[in-house]
Amino acid sequence: MIRVVTLDSFDEKQTAKLCQALYTAFGVGSEHSGQKEVPPGMSEPLDAEQLIKDIKGVRAYEDDKVLFITSRKLKERELPGGKAPTTGYALYNQNRAIITTHGHKDFEAAFKPIARNALQQIGHLWGLHHCLDPRCAMYPPWTPSFNTGEPSFCSFCREKSEQKLRLAKS
């Protein structure tokens, strides 16, 4: 099950549409599991890694994946080549990820890049790496064409995610 948890106020129809896109991509249940507050003391830009570790009280089973969504800016990450903007972050091969809609004025108009980002972060939770196919949601997000692609996987990444799902415990 993919549990979508909002950290800010989002339109229910938009959240349902995102859950449907996740269901279509992964073939497992996806539902909006409520809204949580950002822990006290965290200011914008939010530290994505710390934030997803600090949020408490999300009901989930062992193999559930939790995707947090915020409209707030996430702190840039320090990489060997310098700082990189953060639109999403996942605890690789674990169970929690976050995406931001910051920078998109209209959720509906920006649905494809937001959904593609969500697919990529959930893919990382199931152990998927970046892909060389520019049509795939696992294509690196820092490339100029990432935001123009469809929220879907190439056949290789789709099969890899299905394999991971079959091996899940529950």
Side-chain angles (χ1 to χ4, degrees), residues 3-154:
R3 301 194 182 276
V4 176
V5 177
T6 53
L7 301 179
D8 301 298
S9 190
F10 287 95
D11 183 276
E12 288 180 33
K13 289 179 184 176
Q14 294 168 337
T15 308
K17 186 175 179 181
L18 181 61
C19 288
Q20 181 61 44
L22 294 171
Y23 170 74
T24 301
F26 292 103
V28 298
S30 177
E31 68 179 20
H32 182 225
S33 294
Q35 185 170 336
K36 292 288 179 187
E37 296 295 320
V38 171
M42 283 202 165
S43 60
E44 203 171 324
L46 300 171
D47 182 334
E49 186 175 3
Q50 193 63 48
L51 178 62
I52 61 179
K53 288 179 180 177
D54 287 354
I55 296 176
K56 306 291 184 226
V58 177
R59 295 189 68 196
Y61 293 101
E62 185 176 358
D63 283 336
D64 286 353
K65 305 302 180 191
V66 178
L67 177 67
F68 297 103
I69 304 176
T70 184
S71 59
R72 299 175 221 191
K73 184 175 183 176
L74 297 176
K75 185 172 136 187
E76 293 180 332
R77 289 174 295 151
E78 290 286 340
L79 300 174
K83 288 187 176 191
T86 302
T87 57
Y89 178 80
L91 295 173
Y92 186 80
N93 228 2
Q94 293 183 39
N95 64 350
R96 286 180 167 214
I98 188 170
I99 63 167
T100 183
T101 62
H102 185 268
H104 299 290
K105 292 183 189 322
D106 179 11
F107 191 105
E108 189 60 37
F111 181 75
K112 283 183 183 181
I114 292 169
R116 195 167 159 101
N117 188 10
L119 264 64
Q120 181 167 102
Q121 300 314 319
I122 297 291
H124 286 320
L125 294 181
W126 267 301
L128 298 182
H129 296 284
H130 288 151
C131 179
L132 297 176
D133 185 341
R135 297 168 297 176
C136 183
M138 294 309 294
Y139 194 64
W142 54 84
T143 58
S145 64
F146 182 82
N147 285 338
T148 61
E150 294 293 321
S152 61
F153 292 119
C154 67

